[in-house]
Amino acid sequence: MSAHCQLTGRRPGFGNHISHSHRRSPRRFDPNIQRKRYWLPSEGRHIRLALSTKGIKTVDTIGIEAAVVRIRARGGKV
């Protein structure tokens, strides 16, 4: 699964591990991506989305129909 949210577009951030001696090595900060299944009443089917935890909260606030409209507006496939 790719580490990006279909709704918010969150992707991994990059930075450095910094050891006790202050040596630096590359690292990656992945968003907390969860696969959630929602019922889409307008199409009469379930859809499965890869969402960050903030994306899940957004769906709870605006509803699945509005979230699908936003995903499709960004060019995402649902």
Side-chain angles (χ1 to χ4, degrees):
M1 173 176 24
S2 63
H4 78 277
C5 177
Q6 289 180 284
L7 180 60
T8 62
R10 287 183 179 229
R11 291 187 175 272
F14 296 91
N16 290 306
H17 286 287
I18 301 180
S19 70
H20 180 68
S21 65
H22 219 65
R23 285 176 160 261
R24 294 163 189 244
S25 57
R27 67 161 293 179
R28 180 173 145 148
F29 297 90
D30 285 327
N32 187 2
I33 300 295
Q34 309 289 322
R35 291 195 39 95
K36 284 279 285 180
R37 186 171 170 238
Y38 291 100
W39 173 251
L40 194 58
S42 63
E43 297 181 14
R45 66 185 180 107
H46 284 97
I47 58 171
R48 191 173 299 274
L49 299 174
L51 299 172
S52 64
T53 49
K54 177 156 184 156
I56 292 170
K57 291 174 190 173
T58 303
V59 170
D60 291 344
T61 303
I62 67 172
I64 188 62
E65 297 288 344
V68 167
V69 168
R70 284 190 192 181
I71 291 169
R72 288 181 173 152
R74 295 185 67 219
K77 183 181 171 193
V78 176

